[in-house]
Amino acid sequence: MLDADFFRRWMTATAASVDREADRLTALDSPIGDADHGSNLRRGFTAVSAALEKEAPETPGAVLVLAGRQLISTVGGASGPLYGTLLRRTGKALGDAAEVDEEGFAGALRAGVDAVMQLGGAAPGDKTMIDALVPAVDALPGGFGAARAAAEQGAEATTPLLARKGRASYLGERSIGHQDPGATSAALLIAALADTGAETDTGADTGGE
Amino acid sequence: MSDEKLVGIVLVSHSAQVASSVAELALGLVGGGLPVPVAAAGGTEGGGLGTSAELVAAAAASVDRGAGVAVLADLGSAVLTVKALLAEGDELPDSAKLVDAPFVEGAVAAVVTAATGADLDAVVAAATEAYGYRKV
């Protein structure tokens, strides 16, 4: 079972990973975006960590709703409402339960991903975060590790795609040949989930990696 | 159709200057109409390019007179932020509505229409119709 602490550690692990990878995310965002993805997400997840520490929500749903709200408020770019909606809708789908099982979480995350697709209008293959998130959700019944592998593969597979959403879509064919920054950061989110799961399984509870 | 309860207009842009200039332009074209509450929510709180959910929420609250709030947004994160706030949260007034309209022309149409004392549906319709104005 996954409790509020698990979800808090997932968010903290994501914040650490985004902080580590911020320069890479921004570099990916330079040729096809406006070169702010890493710094925007770093600002957002730093705010998420601070808010979770301050407010200490008691249920998994409340952790993700709070995290989502922070991202919408603080990111400043399109990734704010997109990631914010992902976490907030997932959190709402989890309801008020003190603990959720992995199956319940997988269903909730799918609801979150569906909400992101509805918000941004992106479908798989449009070269967006959806290209990492949909494979991850599809693979989630096989475990967090399988979801991580699927997300990373999905992110890498965006390189040859033509961007159909967001600023990159204005570039047309020039968007081909670059890995999508949003899919890359989505893979980091799922990788942090897998790390948090592995840490929980081994009984380690250091809050780090 | 009350003089006291005018529809409020919120203009959300990536850029503070764009939002406030479009507000100024639209208000300048009202002429002798009623004093429409218009608020600009442009850029990030730090003054950079982007969208601030806090500025959007504050702008919507500041123009809400009880007759509804029409929100116009320009690009990408401006549109997505408003949609995310409307879909998920309680940050915006219940009567707030994102208008599917071109930013400048829609803002002028919305503000001029609101200045006649029109209701939210009429303001939204006027702004949306601005898409139909062909230039060539």
Side-chain angles (χ1 to χ4, degrees):
Chain A
M1 294 295 276
L2 310 170
D3 60 7
D5 185 58
F6 174 88
F7 286 91
R8 187 188 55 72
R9 286 187 287 118
W10 174 26
M11 291 298 105
T12 309
T14 304
S17 170
V18 163
D19 185 53
R20 253 192 331 267
E21 301 287 333
D23 290 346
R24 180 168 149 252
L25 293 174
T26 291
L28 288 171
D29 195 31
S30 299
I32 58 173
D34 46 3
D36 61 4
H37 191 55
S39 48
N40 278 349
L41 275 192
R42 177 191 267 152
R43 181 169 57 248
F45 276 99
T46 300
V48 167
S49 293
L52 290 176
E53 194 167 326
K54 188 166 161 238
E55 297 189 26
E58 287 176 0
T59 64
V63 168
L64 295 185
V65 168
L66 177 62
R69 189 183 313 140
Q70 287 299 313
L71 292 177
I72 293 172
S73 303
T74 57
V75 168
S79 53
L82 292 167
Y83 278 112
T85 294
L86 173 69
L87 297 181
R88 196 143 80 158
R89 186 64 69 89
T90 302
K92 280 188 179 176
L94 291 174
D96 296 331
E99 290 187 326
V100 297
D101 60 20
E102 296 191 9
E103 196 184 336
F105 170 62
L109 189 63
R110 186 173 291 283
V113 173
D114 286 346
V116 173
M117 288 198 276
Q118 200 186 359
L119 176 66
D126 285 347
K127 198 177 181 102
T128 70
M129 60 197 283
I130 292 304
D131 291 317
L133 291 176
V134 166
V137 170
D138 287 343
L140 201 48
F144 293 148
R148 173 193 192 143
E152 286 171 352
Q153 242 171 10
E156 283 166 24
T158 60
T159 302
L161 296 178
L162 177 76
R164 297 193 192 281
K165 286 287 161 189
R167 185 191 175 286
S169 64
Y170 300 148
L171 297 175
E173 296 200 344
R174 279 174 292 157
S175 67
I176 293 172
H178 302 280
Q179 183 170 324
D180 181 63
T184 308
S185 57
L188 294 180
L189 176 74
I190 303 299
L193 175 69
D195 287 341
T196 308
E199 183 190 276
T200 308
D201 289 343
T202 57
D205 191 10
T206 57
E209 288 184 321
Chain B
M1 293 282 183
S2 158
D3 287 6
E4 284 135 40
K5 286 196 170 181
L6 294 177
V7 172
I9 314 285
V10 175
L11 302 176
V12 185
S13 170
H14 269 54
S15 148
Q17 287 91 338
V18 169
S20 60
S21 297
V22 172
E24 193 186 336
L25 169 66
L27 284 167
L29 295 175
V30 165
L34 299 165
V36 185
V38 179
T44 62
E45 278 158 286
L49 295 179
T51 310
S52 159
E54 314 282 324
L55 291 180
V56 173
S62 77
V63 299
D64 184 10
R65 302 284 186 272
V69 175
V71 183
L72 287 95
D74 63 357
L75 301 165
S77 67
V79 177
L80 292 177
T81 298
V82 174
K83 282 170 86 169
L85 292 177
L86 287 173
E88 298 291 327
D90 50 9
E91 290 94 341
L92 296 181
D94 288 343
S95 63
K97 200 164 183 178
L98 175 64
V99 186
D100 185 15
F103 192 64
V104 178
E105 292 88 337
V108 171
V111 172
V112 169
T113 304
T116 66
D119 64 13
L120 180 62
D121 287 346
V123 169
V124 168
T128 306
E129 275 166 26
Y131 266 132
Y133 174 68
R134 313 310 309 176
K135 295 172 188 174
V136 178

